[in-house]
Amino acid sequence: MYRTKQAVTSLLPRAQERYSSCIIRNSLSPAVIASTGSTSCPNSPLRKFSSAPPPPTDSAALQSASAGTYEAQMYDAWCQDPASVHPSWDAHFRGGSSSVVLPDMAGAGGMAAGAKADSQVIDAHLAVQGTIRSYQVRGHLAAQIDPLGLNNMDKEKAKNMIIRSVTVEDKDLDTVFQLPKTTYIGGQEKSLPLREIIKRLENVYCNHIGVEYMHINNLDQINWIRERLETPGALELENVEKRLLLARISRAIGFESFLAKKWTAEKRFGLEGVEMLIPCMKQVIDRSTELGVECVVMGMPHRGRLNVLANVCRKPLEQILTQFSGLEAADEGSGDVKYHLGTYIERLNRATNKNIRLSVVANPSHLEAANPIVEGKVRAEQFYRGDTEGKKAMSLLLHGDAAFAGQGVVYETMGMSELPDYTTKGTVHIVANNQIGFTTDPRYSRSSPYCTDVGRVVNAPIFHVNADDPEAVML
């Protein structure tokens, strides 16, 4: 108590100074604390009881090793939350003082405490950040997404194309760099060797999935996609999911094989080569149903329609196979070909144990003409269900690559996607890239590198996937 009394005596006569008031824990009465107001006392015995002290004013002290270490700690805390440090430190760092020591810039192989930041080290870290962003922006150009291997880029050429503004030498590959907050490739790790950084980025962006999402204006959406792509282990399936995938592929291939043997000369627009379309659609429907969707309206071209009706909608096989026999004179109906017809069915989704209504609209030979019809049906479903957020009814559109890039109704439909009176709150588009438009090579049918580039107009994320990698398609 004597010591406290002596300290208080030395405190009270002092005039107000620049820094905030000293804090005594459980030693002074509230009245005494209130009487001090914002008084500060850097040289008072009470300073030992206070929060973080103000920065030393002596320039020699700032340059010492101990001051440099302490300042680095204060800078770390200030970067996390400016309110967590003394107000004088806040003013000090906001003022951009040249004596601030950058905190552990080089990670495990970083600078000594108190040393001035080496411009080469800063440049190296900025180059690493630029490399990470280059993979996020341009990695899809080097992705191995062509099952035929016609357009896949050589690995070394791809690396030079992506990291084109930086020269990466072998001696730099084992240097440890701190990871920026714009990537999730480290998981729980905050720093990684450059070799491991490039390896993980190539595995995410240059493998069998090419992702275009950095053109989106919404930062939250970018980070949502980035986290689900880059987090270690995110691109792996569990054994249960792999078995389900195998069963669905087997059913799709088995159906196509049966039709090919039974009706060899019939037009059936088979799904050979893109059998992964069926597991992909079922995965979309399963996940949507799990999140509360009750109705899915689908529009699609000729290719794969019979397989979708049989394995996705579960239309009775006898009704599908009857179409191969043709209609008799006494039969009802228009007699339209089987790959123009649609269906409507309500069934139990066994993956989620929820009822789901599936509808495939009929379409003419003008393939994309069904797009606005699908969107209109979904809009009507949402209206009568009172679904203002698009969480109960959704649209799923399938396309061929040439039709998606070449027919104006695709762009016209997308142009209405954000209009208040027409929006359906989003549509899932699946494009089967046949790499030929009837008889036209893609090099002579469009000017854009991808058939899906029209989707960039509405800030839609675009995923290019190699259909020969079933697990990549499911992810």
Side-chain angles (χ1 to χ4, degrees):
M1 293 300 294
Y2 173 79
R3 181 179 176 187
T4 302
K5 180 180 178 182
Q6 186 181 27
V8 173
T9 305
S10 63
L11 167 64
L12 293 177
R14 290 185 177 274
Q16 289 190 351
E17 296 180 17
R18 178 181 176 187
Y19 304 111
S20 62
S21 60
C22 304
I23 301 172
I24 304 176
R25 296 176 183 170
N26 303 323
S27 297
L28 294 178
S29 68
V32 176
I33 295 176
S35 67
T36 61
S38 59
T39 305
S40 177
C41 43
N43 300 319
S44 166
L46 293 180
R47 173 50 63 186
K48 72 181 74 176
F49 299 103
S50 72
S51 56
T57 56
D58 186 4
S59 59
L62 272 174
Q63 298 300 324
S64 68
S66 59
T69 304
Y70 182 72
E71 190 172 5
Q73 293 172 354
M74 290 295 100
Y75 185 75
D76 268 336
W78 180 78
C79 288
Q80 295 294 328
D81 182 11
S84 66
V85 300
H86 194 281
S88 56
W89 280 114
D90 186 32
H92 180 62
F93 293 131
R94 289 183 188 278
S97 172
S98 60
S99 63
V100 175
V101 180
L102 297 179
D104 195 23
M105 268 289 290
M111 303 171 292
K116 287 187 177 181
D118 185 2
S119 62
Q120 293 183 347
V121 175
I122 296 176
D123 289 343
H125 279 78
L126 291 176
V128 171
Q129 292 190 27
T131 298
I132 293 173
R133 180 169 176 82
S134 294
Y135 272 97
Q136 293 170 345
V137 175
R138 296 194 295 273
H140 61 89
L141 298 173
Q144 307 295 300
I145 57 176
D146 185 0
L148 303 179
L150 301 177
N151 300 313
N152 291 339
M153 195 178 294
D154 178 72
K155 234 177 186 180
E156 199 59 37
K157 183 180 177 183
K159 185 182 293 186
N160 294 334
M161 183 271 298
I162 295 171
I163 318 176
R164 57 192 178 193
S165 59
V166 180
T167 302
V168 179
E169 300 180 2
D170 291 340
K171 63 183 179 65
D172 299 325
L173 292 176
D174 294 322
T175 305
V176 178
F177 291 92
Q178 185 173 337
L179 295 172
K181 294 182 179 180
T182 55
T183 185
Y184 297 89
I185 58 172
Q188 300 298 322
E189 301 174 85
K190 301 300 180 184
S191 57
L192 289 173
L194 180 58
R195 187 190 309 274
E196 183 65 18
I197 291 174
I198 294 177
K199 178 183 175 183
R200 295 190 184 188
L201 289 171
E202 286 183 346
N203 183 57
V204 173
Y205 293 106
C206 301
N207 206 352
H208 290 158
I209 302 177
V211 190
E212 293 182 85
Y213 68 101
M214 294 298 287
H215 60 277
I216 300 174
N217 297 329
N218 190 314
L219 183 60
D220 292 335
Q221 294 178 7
I222 290 178
N223 287 332
W224 188 87
I225 296 172
R226 184 187 282 153
E227 183 177 3
R228 278 151 184 77
L229 283 173
E230 295 182 352
T231 302
L235 300 181
E236 296 176 4
L237 290 178
E238 298 179 357
N239 290 334
V240 175
E241 296 173 316
K242 291 179 180 179
R243 284 193 287 268
L244 179 61
L245 172 59
L246 176 61
R248 288 176 171 177
I249 294 177
S250 300
R251 282 197 291 268
I253 295 177
F255 184 78
E256 292 295 336
S257 300
F258 170 75
L259 295 183
K261 290 179 181 178
K262 183 70 175 177
W263 290 280
T264 308
E266 280 280 343
K267 279 186 181 180
R268 51 192 173 80
F269 294 95
L271 207 57
E272 287 93 341
V274 201
E275 290 90 354
M276 272 307 300
L277 179 69
I278 301 302
C280 177
M281 292 180 66
K282 292 178 74 70
Q283 176 75 358
V284 171
I285 293 171
D286 289 349
R287 183 61 177 155
S288 302
T289 308
E290 186 179 331
L291 295 174
V293 172
E294 301 172 355
C295 172
V296 179
V297 182
M298 293 174 278
M300 64 178 300
H302 301 137
R303 188 180 185 194
R305 175 175 289 259
L306 299 179
N307 211 319
V308 169
L309 294 176
N311 288 313
V312 177
C313 300
R314 298 297 178 88
K315 184 177 181 178
L317 288 178
E318 59 268 21
Q319 295 183 18
I320 297 175
L321 301 181
T322 300
Q323 298 296 322
F324 282 92
S325 303
L327 296 175
E328 299 294 335
D331 292 337
E332 296 181 358
S334 65
D336 199 357
V337 290
K338 49 192 165 295
Y339 38 83
H340 282 181
L341 303 178
T343 190
Y344 171 85
I345 192 168
E346 182 174 353
R347 68 176 179 85
L348 178 69
N349 189 332
R350 296 175 184 173
T352 59
N353 286 323
K354 294 182 178 180
N355 281 330
I356 182 75
R357 292 181 179 180
L358 301 174
S359 173
V360 179
V361 301
N363 72 302
S365 295
H366 195 285
L367 301 178
E368 302 296 332
N371 294 0
I373 306 300
V374 170
E375 301 296 343
K377 289 191 67 172
V378 172
R379 177 73 182 189
E381 288 277 1
Q382 292 173 352
F383 176 80
Y384 286 111
R385 292 171 184 266
D387 182 16
T388 58
E389 297 181 357
K391 293 185 176 181
K392 295 182 180 179
M394 66 170 284
S395 49
L396 178 59
L397 288 172
L398 280 66
H399 313 269
D401 56 324
F404 191 75
Q407 294 196 18
V409 68
V410 175
Y411 179 81
E412 293 165 0
T413 304
M414 284 193 168
M416 303 174 75
S417 62
E418 297 298 326
L419 301 182
D421 292 332
Y422 296 92
T423 180
T424 57
K425 307 299 181 182
T427 300
V428 177
H429 295 265
I430 302 177
V431 182
N433 192 347
N434 305 306
Q435 302 199 53
I436 190 170
F438 194 57
T439 58
T440 307
D441 188 287
R443 293 173 296 178
Y444 306 107
S445 65
R446 65 174 185 266
S447 300
S448 59
Y450 298 115
C451 60
T452 53
D453 283 344
V454 66
R456 297 171 67 98
V457 175
V458 292
N459 282 324
I462 302 171
F463 301 88
H464 309 276
V465 189
N466 190 324
D468 279 358
D469 185 350
E471 293 184 26
V473 175
M474 295 297 286
L475 293 167

